[in-house]
Amino acid sequence: MKGKQLYQQYFLNGSVLNKLIIINILVFILQFLTFGYLKKYAILPLDIFEFIRQPWSFISHSFIHSSIRHLLYNMLFLYMFGQFFLNIHTGRRFLNLYFLGVIFGALSNLLLFNLLNESLPFRYSGYGLGASAGVYAVMVAATVQSPNMPIRFLFIPITFKLWWITVGVIVLSLLEWDSNFWGTIAHLSGALAGYLYMIQLQKGNDIGGFVGNTFDWFLNMSKPREKTPLKTVYKSKNTTKSKGVVKGAKSSPSQDQIDKVLDKISKSGYDSLSKKEKELLFKAGK
């Protein structure tokens, strides 16, 4: 298969999850091709005065990884839990959640370093890098959504519940507290972001909506303005119709209906849903 076909199949036509993973891998390769130059200007300096000189690092640090192991660990869990989240929600919500976790992780590290680092038993110096905060946000959100979803691994004759894996990963992160202090802070902050996001989303509030709106703003800045075509309106005695509007469109599902389906997923897993229930979630995602 040629490079152009691969690009079209796995990137252009791929899910937002695939695109995010591919971008992380490509950036990792660029780190070595630029002999560390890219890494130097993309990581997040925790000292506020250094951060001011490269504010883009607030987001760019999430695409930088320290080793192949670091990259594979993050991408494996992102792929696994990202699929669970995208079974129900849209790609836009996935990005809102992911980058909300990245933002929480960066803010926590910056605030702790500049406000509390002097009072810690040992003064830590360092920087932030890696997708971990975003990955932990997706992981926890998917777990809050479907905590009892059954998971089976190859060659392991045990059925795990999703929340067992999530708790295990968080505990392992806590055990690295001494050797990876700022990384652990980012992990926990991302996990908190994922929890808050899903709890609020179940109430009908997308607290990460500003992420998608910001991306839209940047994209719209680079696009030439197009003239809006005038709509032809037909007026009758009882109704007013606009060309292009589908008559008798179905209303969106209510939050109560969505909550009932999410409860069913939590108890029995996504596969237990009927075709009608899956269509309802798809409409809600839109």
Side-chain angles (χ1 to χ4, degrees), residues 105-117:
L107 274 177
S108 299
N109 276 343
L110 283 168
L111 289 173
L112 281 174
F113 184 87
N114 291 283
L115 297 179
L116 300 178
N117 201 22

Side-chain angles (χ1 to χ4, degrees), residues 68-107:
I68 293 179
R69 177 178 173 274
H70 187 199
L71 175 72
L72 290 177
Y73 177 87
N74 277 336
M75 295 305 102
L76 175 65
F77 281 104
L78 181 61
Y79 182 74
M80 175 180 171
F81 286 90
Q83 288 190 102
F84 296 144
F85 185 84
L86 287 170
N87 277 338
I88 297 175
H89 303 286
T90 62
R92 186 182 180 89
R93 282 184 177 170
F94 172 81
L95 287 179
N96 290 349
L97 166 64
Y98 178 84
F99 283 105
L100 183 68
V102 169
I103 290 169
F104 262 55
L107 274 177

Side-chain angles (χ1 to χ4, degrees), residues 25-216:
I25 294 171
L26 291 176
V27 171
F28 184 75
I29 294 171
L30 280 173
Q31 286 178 227
F32 291 93
L33 294 179
T34 57
F35 302 100
Y37 184 83
L38 175 64
K39 180 178 178 180
K40 178 181 178 181
Y41 290 99
I43 59 176
L44 177 71
L46 297 186
D47 183 272
I48 191 64
F49 298 106
E50 292 182 33
F51 167 71
I52 290 173
R53 290 197 289 268
Q54 51 187 74
W56 58 85
S57 63
F58 197 68
I59 297 296
S60 65
H61 78 278
S62 65
F63 295 98
I64 303 297
H65 291 84
S66 59
S67 65
I68 293 179
R69 177 178 173 274
H70 187 199
L71 175 72
L72 290 177
Y73 177 87
N74 277 336
M75 295 305 102
L76 175 65
F77 281 104
L78 181 61
Y79 182 74
M80 175 180 171
F81 286 90
Q83 288 190 102
F84 296 144
F85 185 84
L86 287 170
N87 277 338
I88 297 175
H89 303 286
T90 62
R92 186 182 180 89
R93 282 184 177 170
F94 172 81
L95 287 179
N96 290 349
L97 166 64
Y98 178 84
F99 283 105
L100 183 68
V102 169
I103 290 169
F104 262 55
L107 274 177
S108 299
N109 276 343
L110 283 168
L111 289 173
L112 281 174
F113 184 87
N114 291 283
L115 297 179
L116 300 178
N117 201 22
E118 294 280 0
S119 62
L120 293 173
F122 301 98
R123 180 166 173 78
Y124 293 91
S125 61
Y127 47 82
L129 80 168
S132 300
V135 173
Y136 274 68
V138 173
M139 179 173 64
V140 170
T143 303
V144 171
Q145 170 184 286
S146 310
N148 296 314
M149 180 178 287
I151 305 294
R152 289 187 67 89
F153 296 101
L154 291 175
F155 311 115
I156 303 179
I158 301 174
T159 299
F160 295 86
K161 292 184 178 180
L162 197 61
W163 72 267
W164 296 359
I165 301 171
T166 300
V167 170
V169 171
I170 292 175
V171 168
L172 287 175
S173 178
L174 289 171
L175 293 176
E176 295 181 339
W177 182 276
D178 288 337
S179 60
N180 188 24
F181 181 78
W182 298 115
T184 302
I185 294 297
H187 298 169
L188 297 179
S189 300
L192 176 61
Y195 175 79
L196 294 176
Y197 183 88
M198 185 51 63
I199 292 298
Q200 287 300 310
L201 192 61
Q202 289 173 348
K203 296 178 181 178
N205 305 317
D206 187 342
I207 62 173
F210 70 92
V211 173
N213 294 336
T214 303
F215 286 154
D216 287 343

